[in-house]
Amino acid sequence: MPSALITGASRGLGAAIAQEIESTHHILLGGRDAAALHPLVDHLPDAEPWVADLTDFDAVTAAAESIDELSVLVHNAGRATIGRVDSTPLSEWKTMFDLNLFAAVHLTQQLLPALRKAGGHVVFINSGAGLRVNEQWSAYAASKFALKAFADGLRVEEPGLRVTSIFPGRIDTDMQRSIVACEGQEYDPDRFLKPATVARAVGHAIRTPEDAHPTDVILRPFNK
């Protein structure tokens, strides 16, 4: 059975992606907290934890050594905080770039031999903020614009791999609740995409027949 590594898999969208593709893949559930991964490991018949703090590059390098062949790599882990340019400290910009961009670059570099061996598929969970910038979203959007550039470059340089960027609108997750609280608004989950909906789009991209290359998928909430 082909294998898939999903980062940020302990909850939210990452957990939903794992459940979406678990019938066709052996799942490596990526996360920095082993205890947080165990409920999903126990729920899925063919899954195991892959524990590493993605911003600890030495730890990631060591953890990647155990992966000899990999069919799918889903970069889902990320961080989003909002604030104006004049009030967002440089340290917060760095924190977001470290996880949203540099961690994805480093993990991809470490797993390229395993992905090449499988003729694999790399999926980047980007954001609508990776295509446009709204007020107070400059730092996060900058990290996601950069992630898109990395994905586009990887696609050009690795013709033996499929590389897909998913650009969802805002998703009903714990992170979204924190963002809405910062915006001073009341949380209404019906305003946002369901994690299972975005996970299904990821699954469709992965299951696309091999004669096609799904490069960019854009999803927006459909608020009737």
Side-chain angles (χ1 to χ4, degrees):
M1 180 177 286
S3 59
L5 170 59
I6 304 164
T7 67
S10 63
R11 59 181 180 169
L13 179 56
I17 293 170
Q19 293 174 83
E20 171 69 23
I21 66 172
E22 58 90 14
S23 64
T24 54
H25 291 77
H26 172 68
I27 306 295
L28 300 173
L29 298 168
R32 60 183 179 181
D33 183 354
L37 294 169
H38 282 311
L40 192 55
V41 171
D42 294 340
H43 177 71
L44 300 179
D46 192 11
E48 63 179 288
W50 188 83
V51 181
D53 180 342
L54 295 177
T55 60
D56 182 342
F57 297 152
D58 290 339
V60 169
T61 298
E65 291 176 354
S66 64
I67 302 175
D68 177 64
E69 186 170 347
L70 186 66
S71 297
V72 176
L73 171 60
V74 180
H75 290 290
N76 170 69
R79 176 183 175 90
T81 57
I82 61 172
R84 292 176 53 84
V85 170
D86 59 7
S87 60
T88 303
L90 187 60
S91 60
E92 185 57 37
W93 283 72
K94 183 178 184 303
T95 296
M96 275 193 279
F97 268 80
D98 281 346
L99 183 55
N100 295 350
L101 176 64
F102 299 134
V105 172
H106 178 71
L107 181 58
T108 302
Q109 290 174 330
Q110 298 308 304
L111 291 176
L112 270 177
L115 289 161
R116 289 167 177 156
K117 186 175 181 179
H121 194 160
V122 185
V123 179
F124 294 89
I125 305 301
N126 201 296
S127 168
L131 298 171
R132 67 186 187 283
V133 186
N134 293 325
E135 185 179 359
Q136 297 193 69
W137 290 82
S138 296
Y140 178 67
S143 71
K144 289 297 191 176
F145 268 72
L147 186 67
K148 179 187 184 301
F150 173 61
D152 291 347
L154 181 68
R155 190 180 300 116
V156 171
E157 294 184 9
E158 295 289 336
L161 305 180
R162 293 200 293 184
V163 178
T164 303
S165 288
I166 309 288
F167 299 92
R170 297 172 71 164
I171 308 170
D172 176 23
T173 61
D174 291 341
M175 185 171 71
Q176 195 66 243
R177 289 180 179 274
S178 298
I179 292 171
V180 171
C182 290
E183 291 173 328
Q185 299 180 17
E186 183 177 345
Y187 193 82
D188 178 4
D190 292 336
R191 293 174 51 207
F192 308 119
L193 292 163
K194 294 178 176 61
T197 300
V198 181
R200 184 169 294 183
V202 174
H204 281 315
I206 292 170
R207 291 188 290 267
T208 298
E210 293 185 359
D211 62 317
H213 191 160
T215 57
D216 300 285
V217 178
I218 299 173
L219 300 173
R220 295 285 180 266
F222 185 45
N223 297 318
K224 297 180 181 179

